[in-house]
Amino acid sequence: MGLGTGTRLIRARWLGRLDYDEAWDLQRAIWEGRVEGRTESDYLLLLEHPHTYTVGRNGDGSNVLDASAIAHTGAAVVDVDRGGDVTYHGPGQLVGYPIAAVPRLPNGFDMVGHVRRIEAGLIDALENLGIEAWAEPGLTGVWTRLGKVAAIGVRVSRGVSMHGFALNVDPDMSMWGHINPCGIPDRPVTSLSELRGEAVSLEEVVDAVIPAVTAALGATATETQLAAFSRGAGDRFDIDRMVASGAFSAESRSFTPLLIDGRLPGEPPRPEWMKVTARTDTSGYQDLKELMRGLDLNTVCEEAKCPNIYECWAQGTATMMLLGEVCTRACGFCDVTTGRPGTVDVDEPARAAEAIEKLGLRHAVLTSVNRDDLPDGGSGIFAETIGQIRDRVPACEVEVLIPDFKGDRTALGTVMDARPAVLNHNTETVLRLQRDVRTAANYGRSLALLARARWLDPAATVKSGLIVGMGETEDEVVGALADLRAVGVDIVTIGQYLRPTPRHRPIDRYVHPDEFDRYSRAGDALGLPHVEAGPLVRSSYHARDSLAAARI
């Protein structure tokens, strides 16, 4: 894994704002994937954190000057396993985590050289931004005429680095007043905005840092994906305009935009391979519909207008949707009503288990609306339903398709403690489109959740899904597959976006079946155990078959 030998691909990701503990778990998952061989690529994760103070291995608390003031700010204080003392992370600061192979020297891995390469990359980036910076002999970090502008603290284990640097772009500089930054009491800290005498944007700095730092780390190729830079964006994102117009509320359902030949302006015509015949006359379809209505159960098949409903219901399979039919979030691709959900139906788990028993299922799929209004996000209902199914149908494998629970590790633990056979959480789209398509969702959070699920129950299969045809590129989808593989996902589903109503996000393109085949092959090349890709594929489509294929 030495530098300067062969091809070295670094995947650079600007993730936007992410809680420190989620970013730490994401780092750890990719580090694990790198050392265990799930991924052959290095990574450079770029993001910003909410207010957080981190204390490295050299910190004993003596450089925390005012713990009460820190508590008053609401900032988290976290002990970490990197080198160095106490430092601050927060909005307006670019944090970079290179998860990269470090050369081996006769006496160990070249940690000092790794730090110097990061320093050199940041100095080059600042030069391109018109700011003179340098490294100080005997000290770590990047320095300028007004003081230290970037702190660096790393850890190298099994030849791969974690942690990295914090570059002050335009943060609240008063937050450093509560500490001796990096344990150095007599040297000031500054920011790029102070050095320039004007505001500097994270977007501008990310554009400069990625090529400079990846080159310094020895990249021969860089694959870059960037989340949206949303600060001050106003109504730039499609999802915000759709929410403001009431597109997802029950009250607006009478409003229908004008269609021409069944299409919104700019949409392509529907190709032959996307045409599905409605077969509601089969006995299996009618029996399942009557069973769901009789037990007062919801299915995502109906709520999301799944194109496979006729095939699946005729075979007696359906994905049950727990916790009502009103979601606290809005997504541009989904037809579930957004609003204020009702009270939790505590008898729903028993009725869901009864339905599965009557259907004679050996693989059941459960999902839910987002319930951000609940303290546990609805995780308790998932766990109770899994338990009820296991009591009634012990041989039935249960697959759960869960929301992100706002990153709550305890809520995820509640679900995983119930031991589902498959934990599914959909990433939905590529990094660039997350903010444009979804509300209150985060690509980095989704990756961290998937990694945490695998750690909580190594026996479970971890699954995720992507929708294509919303404006992504083929390279972006392959990059997302690489990210999912790096954190340990076993199964990925990829299907065509179909606009559920004229109020929803327009279809950008219909993806040809040949492209879906290429995604399957790309997944194989990346080492994913199974990729189920096709125009009509959905998260739960052929779920039992996908699980069997992943276990081969």
Side-chain angles (χ1 to χ4, degrees), residues 58-334:
N58 298 334
D60 58 7
S62 60
N63 287 303
V64 176
L65 304 180
D66 193 340
S68 62
I70 290 175
H72 184 71
T73 67
V77 179
V78 182
D79 291 318
V80 296
D81 62 352
R82 58 159 172 79
D85 205 298
V86 63
T87 192
Y88 164 78
H89 300 308
Q93 181 190 70
L94 179 64
V95 179
Y97 297 124
I99 304 164
V102 176
R104 182 186 287 276
L105 301 176
N107 60 343
F109 290 101
D110 186 19
M111 182 184 295
V112 173
H114 179 65
V115 170
R116 299 295 171 246
R117 286 185 286 274
I118 294 173
E119 287 175 342
L122 292 175
I123 290 167
D124 287 346
L126 296 188
E127 181 180 0
N128 292 333
L129 292 168
I131 295 172
E132 184 181 6
W134 57 86
E136 292 268 354
L139 297 174
T140 298
V142 176
W143 303 81
T144 70
R145 59 183 175 82
L146 295 181
K148 190 174 188 177
V149 74
I152 298 174
V154 303
R155 176 190 179 212
V156 176
S157 178
R158 297 175 65 183
V160 177
S161 69
M162 291 198 299
H163 301 291
F165 62 85
L167 176 61
N168 303 330
V169 179
D170 190 22
D172 178 357
M173 298 305 298
S174 70
M175 299 298 288
W176 276 268
H178 308 311
I179 61 173
N180 285 325
C182 301
I184 307 174
D186 58 346
R187 300 294 294 269
V189 175
T190 189
S191 70
L192 299 186
S193 291
E194 287 183 340
L195 288 160
R196 262 203 192 169
E198 62 182 8
V200 179
S201 71
L202 283 167
E203 187 168 3
E204 179 183 8
V205 177
V206 167
D207 285 345
V209 163
I210 288 176
V213 171
T214 55
L217 293 175
T220 59
T222 304
E223 185 257 320
T224 299
Q225 297 203 31
L226 307 177
F229 292 86
S230 57
R231 183 175 298 172
D235 63 350
R236 188 178 81 190
F237 299 108
D238 287 347
I239 191 66
D240 296 328
R241 292 192 291 269
M242 294 169 70
V243 170
S245 71
F248 305 104
S249 66
E251 292 77 14
S252 72
R253 300 254 165 164
S254 60
F255 168 71
T256 302
L258 179 64
L259 297 177
I260 300 174
D261 294 331
R263 290 178 278 152
L264 290 171
E267 284 189 330
R270 180 170 293 202
E272 286 297 321
W273 67 78
M274 289 305 309
K275 294 179 180 177
V276 179
T277 302
R279 295 294 305 274
T280 62
D281 57 342
T282 62
S283 59
Y285 178 93
Q286 294 297 338
D287 291 346
L288 195 149
K289 186 171 185 177
E290 290 173 9
L291 176 63
M292 293 300 166
R293 295 299 80 80
L295 292 173
D296 193 24
L297 294 170
N298 299 304
T299 70
V300 75
C301 322
E302 297 166 288
E303 295 296 331
K305 293 184 170 60
C306 179
N308 304 311
I309 188 171
Y310 312 110
E311 175 189 350
C312 294
W313 282 30
Q315 296 172 356
T317 62
T319 299
M320 296 182 190
M321 191 168 74
L322 306 173
L323 294 162
E325 55 188 8
V326 178
C327 187
T328 54
R329 300 187 191 177
C331 296
F333 53 82
C334 182

Side-chain angles (χ1 to χ4, degrees), residues 9 40 84 127 129 154 171 205 267 361 396 400 418 436 479 488 491 508 513:
L9 172 63
E40 297 180 353
E127 181 180 0
L129 292 168
V154 303
V205 177
E267 284 189 330
L361 297 185
C396 182
V400 292
D436 207 33
I491 299 172
D508 179 74

